[in-house]
Structure formats: structure tokens, C-alpha cells
């Protein structure tokens, strides 16, 4: 009888642990999702109904203050939500440090050694740009022909 009680208790503990681990994993994925970071830093969300997948990511490494360069590439299946995510610009503009979005992006991407095959083909893209009061910048490139979204952030 005692062995049966011990077995039931062990089984219950294992089930509870499995549920807790699964819940913790789900919460971690939710809070570590890049869209959550975008919302916190730029008040911008990746539309889940675009069915996007991150296919490349690179940054400048760990930083005590969170400054530096972050770069993400997403593929998506549904173009319409991506096209409505922001008011995209057909023509490139200038940034705080460069005469064009492409020039600024290439300078940042060179600093973190992003391979050419992971960079946008600027001629096929529409553009987005944001700058914050501290001069942190975000560049977005939407390539509708490749169904890819490129997001480059430079934090000061």
C-alpha cells in the first residue's frame, strides 16, 4: 500500500513539473519574441497574420547599456499585413548620418559583418525609418518580390 501511495505522489509531482516547465517555456517564448522588443522600443508590432518567420539575426554582441546594432530578417507568407504595418516610402531618404537608407544600412551591416546574401536588395524594397530622441535609429526594408522584411536597429 505504501509503495502505491509513493508511486502516485511521484507521478503527480512529475505531471505538475511537466505542466510548469511547459508553461515557463511558453512564457519565455512570448517575452523573448522579437515583436515584443519592437513594441517596447519602437511602438511597432510585427503582424502575426503575416505568418512571419525569423530567418537570420545578428547583433553587435552584448552591451551593458543595450546599445549597438541589431539586425533581423523575416520571411512572411501573407503580404497584406506587412504592407499595412507602417506607411512605407517608395523612395529612399536620408538619415541622421547618411544620405540614403541603403548607405546607412550598409555602414551598420558592415560593422557587424553581415554577409551580402543576408542583406536587402535595396532596388526591390520599400522603406521605413524611425529616429528616437536619443538618436537611436531603425531602418526597415520590405522586399515584396522575395517576401522578406529586414529590420536594422542602431541604439545609442
Amino acid at each position: 500500500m505504501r509503495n502505491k501511495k509513493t508511486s502516485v505522489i511521484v507521478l503527480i509531482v512529475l505531471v505538475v513539473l511537466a505542466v510548469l516547465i511547459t508553461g515557463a517555456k511558453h512564457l519565455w517564448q512570448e517575452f523573448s519574441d522579437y515583436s515584443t522588443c519592437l513594441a517596447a522600443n519602437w511602438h511597432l508590432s510585427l503582424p502575426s497574420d503575416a505568418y512571419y518567420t525569423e530567418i537570420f539575426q545578428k547583433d553587435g554582441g552584448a552591451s551593458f547599456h543595450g546599445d549597438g546594432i541589431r539586425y533581423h530578417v523575416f520571411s512572411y507568407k501573407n503580404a497584406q499585413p506587412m504592407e499595412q504595418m507602417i506607411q512605407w516610402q517608395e523612395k529612399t531618404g536620408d538619415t541622421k548620418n547618411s544620405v540614403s537608407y541603403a548607405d546607412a544600412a550598409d555602414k551598420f551591416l558592415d560593422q557587424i559583418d553581415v554577409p551580402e546574401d543576408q542583406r536587402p536588395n535595396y532596388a526591390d524594397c520599400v522603406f521605413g525609418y524611425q529616429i528616437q530622441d536619443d538618436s537611436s535609429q531603425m531602418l526597415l526594408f520590405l522586399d515584396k518580390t522575395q517576401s522578406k522584411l529586414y529590420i536594422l536597429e542602431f541604439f545609442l
Side-chain angles (χ1 to χ4, degrees), residues 10-40:
V10 168
L11 182 61
I12 290 171
V13 168
L14 289 175
V15 169
V16 169
L17 282 174
V19 169
L20 288 175
I21 289 170
T22 302
K25 182 180 175 185
H26 177 72
L27 283 174
W28 174 254
Q29 288 173 338
E30 184 70 28
F31 287 114
S32 64
D33 179 58
Y34 183 65
S35 190
T36 305
C37 294
L38 275 179

Side-chain angles (χ1 to χ4, degrees), residues 76-95:
Y76 59 87
K77 294 182 181 180
N78 186 3
Q80 185 178 8
M82 286 295 190
E83 292 169 0
Q84 296 173 346
M85 184 173 75
I86 64 168
Q87 187 169 355
W88 295 100
Q89 300 172 34
E90 295 288 330
K91 295 182 180 179
T92 187
D94 58 344
T95 69

